[in-house]
Amino acid sequence: MTSRTRNRRLGLLALAAAVPLALGAAGIAVADPAASDSSAVAAAELPWMNTALAPEERSALLLEALTLDQKLQQLTGAHPEILPDLPECYGARHVTGIAELAVPTLRITNGPVGVGQNDCVDPALATDPNASPWAAYTDPSSAKATALPSATSVAASFDPAVASMFGDVIGTEMKNLGLHVFEAPGLNMARLPVLGRNFEYFGEDPYLTGIMGVAETQAVQDHGLIAMAKHFVANEQETNRMTIQETIDERTLHEMYLLPFEMAVKDGDVGSIMCAYNYVNGVSSCENDYILNDVLRDQWGFKGYVQSDFFATKSTVDTLLGGLDHMMPVPQQWAPELLTAALDAGDLQVSDIDTALDRRYVQMFKYGIFDRPLEQTPIDYAAGGEKAREIGTKGAVLLQNNGALPIDSSVEEIVVIGKASQVYAQQAVAGGVKVGEPMGAGGGSSDVVPDYTVSPVDGIKNVLGNLGNAEAKVKLVLVDDANANATVDGEKITFEEALDEARNADNVVMMAGTISEEGADRTTFTDTSGKERAAVGDDLDWYAALPNKIATDDGENPAKNSNTVAMIKAVMQAAPSMAEKTSLVLKDNAGVAMDPALVGETGPAILEAWFPGQEDGNIVADLLFGVENPSGKSPVTYPYTGKGFMDSASVLQFPGEIIDGKQTVEYTEKLNVGYRWYDSNVSGDCEVADDGSNSCVAFPFGHGLSYSEFKTSKLTVTPRVSDGTRPIKVQFFVENTGDVAGTEVPQVYLGLPGSANEPPKRLVGFEKVELQPGEKKRVQITIDPDASNHPLSVWDADADSWSTPTGEFEVRVGSSSGDVALTETVEVRTAGTPAD
């Protein structure tokens, strides 16, 4: 390009800005007649800006124009800086663009519960000598967005449409904030009920996780954005996550932990994958040739790019050759001098760098990131809040109801009871929220800073007001950890007086939960090394002041006992009629171990709201008063205290044994994760009935009640004999036998032949069915052998492929994994054998 030509182009761009026109990140004018000259010049001088070309062609042309120095700069994220394109933002989640080549600054935001830390904090922090070195990554001045309910709540909807709505809110607000890449969905499994990031994931079943992840991915990418499925793979532990060695047999890896990612690739066409911190079978996830190349690209046909989790990389050459394409957040092992040395030594070729960049550029061209202006527009917070409220109500699960719910809207006095040391009754709840601190200040990368929040008491008052009962009294009682003293609306009282408040109220709503955050698991360790556990926090009593730090018996972050369960028991014993007027609202990271005294006819109604996000108060109140009818199903299992997986887990299973000097976890339970562990009676202490109910389980996976009642009947399955290649049609009727409109989610589970050596059953289908009182609908769910979840198949490690066993398959239909009374069988014969 001559200087005269360059000056002419710059003059055109300056004129375009002056009129003004919407400019792209590189200054390419659009949407104005004057822009045609500029665009023509750009297309002539920068041929990769020709939108008539395919993304692959455009990427190849761009790579030809880049110098080696430019290529090295483009491989990694930038150090914290004021964004050249957005001077109002100080950020550290981007790749700085190359304006003269029209390469836009690529901006990346965390998820997975809304637009989290998003490359835009207060620019004053850039020059503040007292600012944290992590300010650009985690400061609560991050640009605001809608703090949505947790991903677990989305999964509990058992409705891909809800996951799509979730993704649509995120995609809309990303566009508002000028962002391009969404680090989500999170597709890891709730293998450990105490995993600190369970709220970012979709529960304990790989098929459900995959279905929700695909819907969210598609919704985000429909906005011209790149979704990034994470954390690839087996990132099911926060304790020592940067160095932990995960040992998993190949079959378990494919059938349980890789499966949701496979679905995201094949069905969701996800644009990017994030490799994880942990090692898998001895190799770092971000240089694991088997996972990133053999599986992801060769077996699944993935065409996108792989980004590292922040600071997850371990090497220079092995990462690039092992399948990593983009290192975040800063150059680290891909610093220019290190890559240049590897090139000079012949350990790397320029073509290796080109391949990595090409994979990312193709996705950027595919989703129009080169072709639209980098600008920010106002977010419609009210619209986001409305959708957050709808998502939250559809994901809440009514676990138990002894007649206390729904609350009559004519109620005169309600007492809300919680712990003074806990957020649940006092504030809107999201991951990492602390008492007295604003939402989004927890320090985790998933933190979302909302425009507003709705507290539980305010939500109840809002809904009662809308129902015409603004005069009702709503009292807030907060009890200390010792269950000795309390306050009522801020005034000091004794715990006995608090129980009097509960006795005398028309209705009592208790609130409890299990706050967690990225960086730590809900576990007490003997010291901060995280190598020896003292106790697990799988109940409502355990908490730590800093949920993102390792908790110990003492020290800077001691594990504490809130005595919440004892408080609940005391309230329930305050009067003989308490079960008829008392409910317990849970706000959990995942499933929680239940004290038997809370379950059954003498226990409270139990509503699981997960982490509801900014609309907490409104979501919960809508459900308590029957404005919305609960329709969620639990994506996790609730065991009885002392009967759960964590009670049997060995040190090798969590947090890991020291083997050859390395903390190593082995998934010795293999495929027996979540409900499969209970179905298989791994502990030997569980009685499993024919209908799937289990003596160790308080509330099974897939369980959820309604203010209506339903009946499922007349199961038929065709064909009854198959060669394993034909779709299986499962048909039945669902009827609303209650008095109000409601929604049921019938679920289809499949038991494989005994020769397959699989757990008793796996989820293979479900459908959300809305029914008016007395209405009956016929439902058909198809089990497709060729589907990406391989419903009839098992992974054959020797053949390195999926195979379908022959024999009798049992099709089971019901309202949960613990209630599958309708059964039929399908015989699968060797391929080629005549089938009915």
Side-chain angles (χ1 to χ4, degrees), residues 40 49 134 181 274 276 292 342 427 460 480 492 494 570 604 643 748 805:
M49 296 306 294
W134 300 101
V181 181
M274 178 189 285
L292 298 182
Q427 300 167 216
I460 290 173
D480 68 4
K492 293 182 179 180
T494 66
K643 299 290 188 179
V748 178

Side-chain angles (χ1 to χ4, degrees), residues 290-302:
Y290 174 72
I291 291 172
L292 298 182
N293 290 323
D294 290 356
V295 174
L296 182 62
R297 293 189 169 102
D298 296 342
Q299 292 179 16
W300 299 349
F302 177 63

